[in-house]
Amino acid sequence: MMAGTAESGYAAALRELRGAQKTAKGVSLYSRYVNRPAGRVLAAAAYRIGLTPNQVTLISGALSFAGVAALALARPSWWLAAAVWAALFAGFALDSADGQLARLRKESSPAGEWLDHVVDAAKITALHAAVLVSFHRFFELPGPGWLLVPLGFQFAALLIFTGGLLADKLKPRGTAAGASAQPAQPLSRLRAVALLPVDYGVFCAVFLLLGSETVFLAAYTALFAVHALFLVAFMAKWFRELNAIRPA
């Protein structure tokens, strides 16, 4: 009877979460079809066992930093590739779960949002720093200049993260003229595909290539180049949008 009640509680939480998802606008296919559904399952489980959103955030950070530590300390191999990816994948799914759990428990708070963003910024910084350490300790790089790639990637990733976060916070809510009169725009699948290269989950998948130094270096560098291009495009877009806002 108790097992049935637990299952019923989990199923009810999962059903409620399915109906309380954030908009998919501006979200890549990976986040829409992989990370958010995985986070939904984890949020329902966390709800069932009584975890708070902040506890889920901290577990997410712990898993992510376990992957970061392994990357920095262990010699690259296919076993390490699977372990690092698994830790990062689970950490990212839980990063989605904490917000979903907060909405389910009706416990969204500025402190919880702050903690979530601080953990996100820390793991982005630490992950690229761990790549730099791994490059220096274990990789046979073509030249010392390749050590600048993780530093450049870290710079681009952090600016995309903070720039997007600030742009979202600085845009007035529901004040655009005629916004309510505009029909809802259909979700763009092309945009969702185009955003895949700058999705954190896709970036985490690159670590599955750690068993081959040459392939990982090529894939990591290619993603850095794409992030640099997106950084320029995003910054121009966000500045243009914010510059169009007129004081009330």
Side-chain angles (χ1 to χ4, degrees):
M1 183 70 176
M2 290 180 63
T5 302
E7 183 179 352
S8 175
Y10 171 82
L14 197 56
R15 283 195 302 272
E16 187 171 345
L17 282 165
R18 287 196 184 102
Q21 294 295 298
K22 293 193 295 186
T23 177
K25 183 179 179 181
V27 175
S28 83
L29 284 182
Y30 179 90
S31 286
R32 189 185 304 179
Y33 293 115
V34 179
N35 197 59
R36 284 187 177 180
R40 185 162 62 239
V41 171
L42 293 172
Y47 178 79
R48 190 68 196 90
I49 64 178
L51 292 178
T52 67
N54 287 348
Q55 287 172 333
V56 173
T57 299
L58 293 175
I59 294 171
S60 167
L63 283 170
S64 297
F65 287 114
V68 167
L71 175 62
L73 297 174
R75 182 173 294 278
S77 68
W78 292 114
W79 286 107
L80 179 68
V84 169
W85 172 80
L88 297 178
F89 173 86
F92 189 37
L94 285 166
D95 186 35
S96 174
D98 59 7
Q100 298 191 53
L101 179 61
R103 290 192 294 277
L104 181 62
R105 292 170 56 113
K106 297 178 174 57
E107 291 181 357
S108 298
S109 69
E113 186 176 2
W114 174 86
L115 179 63
D116 182 47
H117 294 324
V118 166
V119 171
D120 286 345
K123 71 185 182 186
I124 291 171
T125 305
L127 189 50
H128 292 289
V131 173
L132 175 61
V133 172
S134 184
F135 278 4
H136 178 69
R137 296 185 65 195
F138 304 119
F139 279 63
E140 294 293 333
L141 298 173
W146 286 87
L147 292 173
L148 296 174
V149 173
L151 292 177
F153 205 153
Q154 183 184 71
F155 177 80
L158 277 175
L159 275 184
I160 289 174
F161 174 73
T162 55
L165 187 63
L166 284 170
D168 182 64
K169 295 298 180 185
L170 291 172
K171 290 176 184 176
R173 302 296 181 183
T175 58
S180 60
Q182 294 294 329
Q185 296 295 318
L187 297 175
S188 170
R189 184 167 293 271
L190 179 61
R191 177 181 172 84
V193 172
L195 288 172
L196 279 172
V198 287
D199 189 291
Y200 180 78
V202 173
F203 169 61
C204 292
V206 169
F207 291 94
L208 286 169
L209 304 174
L210 268 174
S212 170
E213 291 186 10
T214 302
V215 175
F216 176 78
L217 179 61
Y220 181 84
T221 303
L223 265 190
F224 162 52
V226 173
H227 273 70
L229 292 174
F230 269 88
L231 173 63
V232 175
F234 282 151
M235 289 298 174
K237 174 180 178 292
W238 292 328
F239 182 82
R240 185 174 64 253
E241 291 174 347
L242 293 173
N243 195 47
I245 299 172
R246 295 293 175 257

